[in-house]
Amino acid sequence: MSHLLRLTKNCLSFDFIGSSTDDSADDMNNVQIPTAWRPAFLDPNTLNLFFDLYHLLPNGLSSYSISCLVQMTSVRRSLFSNSERTKFLTNLVEGVRNILTNLHGLNDPENYHEFCRLLARLKSNYQLGELIAVSCYPEAIELIAKFTVQSLHLWLFAPNSVHYLLTLWQRMVASVPYVKSPDPHLLGTYTPEVVKAYIESRIDAVPLIVRDNLEDPLDDLCMVQQQLDQLSVIERCEYNKTCRLLVQHFDVKAREYENLAQIPNSNPNDVTVLELQLTWLVYIIGSAIVGRLTVTTSDEQDTMDADLVIRVLQLISLTDTRLPQAGCEKLELAILSFLDQVRKMHSSEQAQKANIYKRLNEVFGLSDEQMLLSFINRKIITNLKFWGRSEPIISKTLMLLSDLSLHFNSVRKLARLDEIQFMLAHHTSEHFPFLGTNSSLSEMKCRTMFYTSLGRLLMFDLGEDEERFYNFLKPLTNQFEFLGTVLMETSGFPNDEAKNAVIGLARDLRGLALPLNARIQYTMLFEWLYYSEYLPIFLRAVELWAHDPAVTTPVLKLFAELVHCRTQRLSGNVSSPIGILLFREASKLICIYGNCILQLEVPYDRLYPMKLKGISICFLILKNSLGGNYVNCGIFKLYGDNTLDNVLNIFAKLILSIKQNDLLEYPKLSTSYYNFLNCLSQEHVTYLASLEPSAFVYILKTLTKGIEASDSATYIICCTILDSIVSYIFKQLQIKATTFPIKKVYNFTHETIKFLKVVEVNSELLQSMLSSLLNNVLTEDCRNQWSMSRPLLVLILLYEDYYSSLKNKIINGQPVEKQPAMVQWFDDLMRGIERNVTSKNKEK
């Protein structure tokens, strides 16, 4: 019986149309049953069989019958006519109703979980109007509501199944505006009961969690947010009841919390219980107010939303007064989530027309959006001041600031606020402790986000005001002067304070460089860094701490951002030497880091963080700089500058230090490697050809692995690189076959002859790629024919004899009766093709 049920489930789960969905995701996908199976699904005994098996089989087996019913519920709608679908759905709902009547087997977690999935699938595949038309719908929806309420209160039992119950109610409520059935949907009766059960079950669970030290659902913020997203839709059904309930609970708990906070030696557990209960209420209120974005609201609902917002703002004022002495991290995270929902609410067009500010002004003195933004930014400053040791709160606070400063309209409003001007003028560790040199590494990661937001706000109306820009940079200037003394002028190994200052500065400057999209502002930053001689400080730091990725990674990422020609900020001014100067500094950094890291012995389990990650960023720096079209690479050779030669030599040594298996094992490494190769092959293929033979052979081998990769992006980019390289080889061979004067015109040098010799010696590598590409055409599901066809043609033209023997081998391997057709197909492939590598010929 176990094997029969597994077989049935696997048949019902089979991917009949090759949609290749992710098996790990419960997407509520339709089951594309073959039409030939239709009679089995029209027979009511089929559904009844699985419901009967559920009632008859013991726990452990019965869940498999429900799993089969889950799949049968999702059978494609087109399998039935309208009347047949109604009968099928009626049988399903009746079967569900019968299980809910006596709750048979639902004390088993597996049965319970699969049954919750079955309920969710009911709405995913059927319209609310169709469910309402089922004769037993009133009884079934009452039982489903009762079951949901019981399940929410039994929060310790199968907590992961709640998602499916909330999905059912979310989808049903979302469908209400589209229902045309004259019969009542009854959701107005039962949805408030579900919302009430969710709210009260979360509040009631807190004392038990604190007392018995149980696992707190609030620790899993992903699950909490997922449930709140579902609840935000459910709550808007009979919204007045939801608001009354929330106000009632919130007022009681906030009053108790305020009273307890005034007692000097109150019981810490009592305080914790109230803080966690308020945490749940703040999260739920946030979900309630953001739900307004999906519906049309009335004046009455605007007032209700305002009343909810006011209560949380009053709580924020209360908790902030306690911050120097005490605070609750979970409650603060809930408040930040709430403020983010307020941000979404006030930034929508609907909120601009809403009457919520009238009520906010009456009770809290916030008369318009500008005053609300001012309140939110005061909260941001408070958090950055008092929660410097809480990475989750600092990170979430800075994410809120980043979201607020993301769009032009928001920045325009924010730039006028006193709170924003305060941050722009006082971004020091004295005011914001997380900017200090004694911060932890996790806290320092937040600094990039902070300076990105400040950069957006600063750039809004900066224009060409250099004085204002350099005043903003004063705190960073002070740090550079300290580092210049410690790193550049004193002997001995620097202390941790200097090391942390380097890490912090690199993160700060990377954050600041990100939003500098205009050429004028970017130039001001670069000239400050270059002409103040601050960049050599970073080079010295990398030399000292090359073994420590905590230092090298932020510095390398900073340079990757500086050399990035974002929105053409580095190009356009032909008289400016910035591009050349920047590339020289970046090249020095790569050479220093590369020479140090090549001498470093690293254990294999630390290979990526200690070595490969840094090398990956070096590839990114090279790709951003050489692919930005602001560096005229020919100028280096013209003036005898060996910058480019040095950095390409280091590149060759770095790639040879990476095992080819490691290259494909780490996606970020392979992406940066292939992206840089693509840049070299497109714009600087001559430099690729000038690499030492071992490095060029290594590149060919990695391309061989790339075109065998299952990852489509890797396959496509490797085909592009290969096309550029073999096209260059083909053209050089054509030049080689011409007369001497023509060779001289085309600068056919000894280096080119040497390169072609390397290609000749390693021709089997290119021939194997020809074989692989052809094999992909013949035997694989070739989804990238355009990309693959480019190098395939050039390889055929390069190795015509090999291609001919390969073709004959393939033809002779076919059954005799199929060989003439195969010959014809190979002839058609090359019909009309000329012996050149022009785009037109490749297209043909």
Side-chain angles (χ1 to χ4, degrees), residues 713-824:
T714 302
Y715 179 87
I716 290 172
I717 199 169
C718 285
C719 285
T720 305
I721 297 165
L722 181 60
D723 176 39
S724 298
I725 292 174
V726 293
S727 295
Y728 176 77
I729 293 169
F730 184 85
K731 290 173 184 175
Q732 294 305 309
L733 288 171
Q734 281 187 319
I735 294 169
K736 183 183 179 182
T738 59
T739 57
F740 179 73
I742 297 295
K743 291 182 189 176
K744 194 169 184 180
V745 169
Y746 281 99
N747 194 24
F748 196 81
T749 62
H750 291 293
E751 286 80 5
T752 308
I753 296 170
K754 183 180 176 183
F755 166 69
L756 293 177
K757 186 67 177 176
V758 172
V759 171
E760 183 183 351
V761 170
N762 294 279
S763 58
E764 74 281 354
L765 281 173
L766 292 169
Q767 289 171 359
S768 72
M769 283 190 263
L770 167 58
S771 179
S772 294
L773 289 170
L774 206 53
N775 187 58
N776 285 347
V777 180
L778 292 166
T779 62
E780 301 291 333
D781 181 15
C782 189
R783 299 178 181 178
N784 306 297
Q785 289 192 5
W786 189 90
S787 300
M788 172 275 302
S789 68
R790 266 59 194 151
L792 180 61
L793 170 63
V794 188
L795 287 167
I796 289 172
L797 296 178
L798 274 175
Y799 301 107
E800 290 175 307
D801 291 343
Y802 178 77
Y803 168 70
S804 181
S805 64
L806 191 62
K807 177 178 72 172
N808 292 333
K809 184 179 178 182
I810 293 169
I811 293 170
N812 294 332
Q814 303 297 313
V816 175
E817 65 275 12
K818 291 187 177 182
Q819 288 183 9
M822 184 66 81
V823 170
Q824 183 63 46

Side-chain angles (χ1 to χ4, degrees), residues 1 34 136 176 247 345 396 644 686 699:
M1 184 58 72
C136 63
V176 167
V247 166
M345 183 185 75
K396 192 96 174 175
L644 184 62
T686 52
I699 289 170

Side-chain angles (χ1 to χ4, degrees), residues 194-362:
V194 173
V195 173
K196 183 173 185 285
Y198 185 87
I199 294 170
E200 294 184 347
S201 64
R202 307 304 112 171
I203 293 173
D204 295 342
V206 171
L208 186 64
I209 291 168
V210 174
R211 187 193 69 200
D212 297 343
N213 197 25
L214 299 175
E215 185 177 348
D216 189 353
L218 287 169
D219 291 332
D220 187 353
L221 288 180
C222 289
M223 183 194 72
V224 170
Q225 192 56 56
Q226 186 182 54
Q227 292 180 2
L228 293 172
D229 290 342
Q230 295 168 315
L231 198 66
S232 67
V233 177
I234 302 169
E235 287 170 313
R236 299 305 292 200
C237 184
E238 299 294 321
Y239 189 54
N240 57 334
K241 294 181 181 178
T242 298
C243 285
R244 279 201 300 269
L245 185 67
L246 284 170
V247 166
Q248 175 191 332
H249 283 294
F250 193 92
D251 285 350
V252 171
K253 299 302 176 185
R255 194 179 307 113
E256 291 177 9
Y257 181 60
E258 187 175 9
N259 293 337
L260 206 57
Q262 294 170 358
I263 301 172
N265 297 314
S266 54
N267 187 329
N269 278 358
D270 292 343
V271 175
T272 301
V273 166
L274 283 169
E275 286 175 335
L276 295 181
Q277 288 175 328
L278 285 167
T279 298
W280 274 111
L281 287 168
V282 170
Y283 271 127
I284 294 168
I285 287 173
S287 73
I289 63 169
V290 83
R292 67 181 286 122
L293 300 179
T294 60
V295 296
T296 303
T297 57
S298 63
D299 291 350
E300 182 188 3
Q301 289 179 334
D302 288 343
T303 303
M304 287 188 284
D305 283 336
D307 284 336
L308 292 175
V309 171
I310 286 165
R311 279 163 170 79
V312 181
L313 297 184
Q314 289 170 334
L315 177 65
I316 292 171
S317 299
L318 173 62
T319 55
D320 282 358
T321 59
R322 301 185 70 232
L323 272 180
Q325 293 82 31
C328 174
E329 184 175 88
K330 290 178 182 177
L331 179 55
E332 288 294 336
L333 289 172
I335 287 171
L336 286 166
S337 174
F338 164 81
L339 290 175
D340 191 49
Q341 308 296 29
V342 171
R343 174 191 66 81
K344 294 174 186 174
M345 183 185 75
H346 89 74
S347 64
S348 70
E349 284 186 24
Q350 186 182 354
Q352 311 300 334
K353 302 170 187 174
N355 296 316
I356 60 171
Y357 289 110
K358 181 181 177 182
R359 182 67 177 152
L360 282 173
N361 187 36
E362 289 172 1

Side-chain angles (χ1 to χ4, degrees), residues 534-631:
Y534 292 151
L535 291 178
I537 293 175
F538 286 122
L539 304 187
R540 175 63 177 154
V542 167
E543 193 174 16
L544 288 169
W545 288 290
H547 61 283
D548 190 349
V551 177
T552 57
T553 298
V555 173
L556 290 168
K557 283 186 174 181
L558 165 62
F559 273 77
E561 179 56 39
L562 289 175
V563 300
H564 191 184
C565 191
R566 196 185 301 278
T567 63
Q568 302 301 306
R569 63 187 182 183
L570 276 160
S571 59
N573 188 351
V574 294
S575 63
S576 171
I578 284 181
I580 300 291
L581 297 175
L582 182 56
F583 180 70
R584 287 173 68 179
E585 295 302 313
S587 299
K588 288 178 194 173
L589 174 72
I590 293 173
C591 290
I592 290 170
Y593 177 76
N595 284 320
C596 292
I597 208 71
L598 286 169
Q599 299 170 22
L600 196 65
E601 292 294 327
V602 179
Y604 189 75
D605 61 333
R606 298 282 298 154
L607 184 62
Y608 183 77
M610 293 283 290
K611 183 177 180 181
L612 298 183
K613 185 175 182 178
I615 292 175
S616 172
I617 304 171
C618 288
F619 295 159
L620 178 62
I621 294 172
L622 287 169
K623 178 255 178 186
N624 284 350
S625 51
L626 293 179
N629 294 322
Y630 58 85
V631 181

Side-chain angles (χ1 to χ4, degrees), residues 57-170:
L57 292 173
N59 292 342
L61 280 181
S62 52
S63 63
Y64 284 113
S65 61
I66 294 287
S67 297
C68 294
L69 285 167
V70 168
Q71 294 302 103
M72 293 170 77
T73 305
S74 303
V75 167
R76 61 186 171 94
R77 294 172 59 84
S78 56
L79 194 69
F80 307 108
S81 66
N82 287 342
S83 59
E84 290 166 349
R85 192 182 308 115
T86 301
K87 290 178 184 177
F88 186 78
L89 179 58
T90 300
N91 286 340
L92 267 175
V93 176
E94 287 176 349
V96 167
R97 179 200 60 187
N98 293 339
I99 293 175
L100 286 171
T101 302
N102 54 26
L103 300 177
H104 173 81
L106 294 181
N107 58 346
D108 176 71
E110 289 185 10
N111 287 350
Y112 174 84
H113 184 74
E114 290 301 318
F115 184 70
C116 289
R117 290 183 65 225
L118 175 60
L119 291 177
R121 291 288 178 107
L122 272 178
K123 180 59 193 74
S124 70
N125 205 33
Y126 295 94
Q127 298 170 4
L128 182 55
E130 292 173 322
L131 287 168
I132 294 170
V134 173
S135 58
C136 63
Y137 172 78
E139 185 184 357
I141 194 66
E142 180 183 4
L143 289 168
I144 290 171
K146 185 180 177 182
F147 174 71
T148 304
V149 169
Q150 290 173 341
S151 298
L152 289 170
H153 281 292
L154 297 171
W155 57 274
L156 275 173
F157 181 78
N160 293 331
S161 305
V162 170
H163 163 75
Y164 297 105
L165 296 174
L166 293 178
T167 297
L168 168 66
W169 288 98
Q170 176 196 11

Side-chain angles (χ1 to χ4, degrees), residues 339-486:
L339 290 175
D340 191 49
Q341 308 296 29
V342 171
R343 174 191 66 81
K344 294 174 186 174
M345 183 185 75
H346 89 74
S347 64
S348 70
E349 284 186 24
Q350 186 182 354
Q352 311 300 334
K353 302 170 187 174
N355 296 316
I356 60 171
Y357 289 110
K358 181 181 177 182
R359 182 67 177 152
L360 282 173
N361 187 36
E362 289 172 1
V363 180
F364 208 71
L366 301 179
S367 59
D368 56 22
E369 182 188 353
Q370 203 70 7
M371 294 186 74
L372 180 60
L373 284 172
S374 182
F375 181 91
I376 292 173
N377 279 282
R378 280 200 300 276
K379 178 59 181 168
I380 288 171
I381 290 172
T382 302
N383 281 6
L384 296 180
K385 183 176 181 180
F386 291 112
W387 285 100
R389 288 291 172 266
S390 172
E391 192 272 333
I393 290 179
I394 292 293
S395 178
K396 192 96 174 175
T397 302
L398 292 174
M399 183 60 72
L400 175 61
L401 178 62
S402 176
D403 290 339
L404 282 170
S405 63
L406 201 55
H407 302 292
F408 177 81
N409 282 338
S410 297
V411 172
R412 181 169 51 84
K413 296 166 186 172
L414 287 171
R416 297 198 295 266
L417 298 178
D418 291 341
E419 290 80 10
I420 294 299
Q421 294 305 319
F422 175 84
M423 282 192 270
L424 290 175
H426 301 94
H427 49 101
T428 63
S429 57
E430 181 183 348
H431 294 90
F432 303 121
F434 78 99
L435 295 176
T437 53
N438 59 345
S439 301
S440 67
L441 289 177
S442 61
E443 290 164 10
M444 286 187 180
K445 290 180 181 178
C446 300
R447 296 173 64 151
T448 302
M449 198 188 311
F450 180 56
Y451 273 92
T452 298
S453 300
L454 291 188
R456 290 187 196 126
L457 295 163
L458 178 69
M459 294 307 117
F460 171 69
D461 59 353
L462 180 67
E464 299 181 33
D465 190 344
E466 292 188 6
E467 183 179 355
R468 185 180 166 204
F469 185 67
Y470 295 136
N471 282 337
F472 172 81
L473 293 173
K474 273 184 181 177
L476 305 182
T477 302
N478 295 337
Q479 293 183 60
F480 269 124
E481 289 175 358
F482 161 72
L483 284 173
T485 304
V486 174

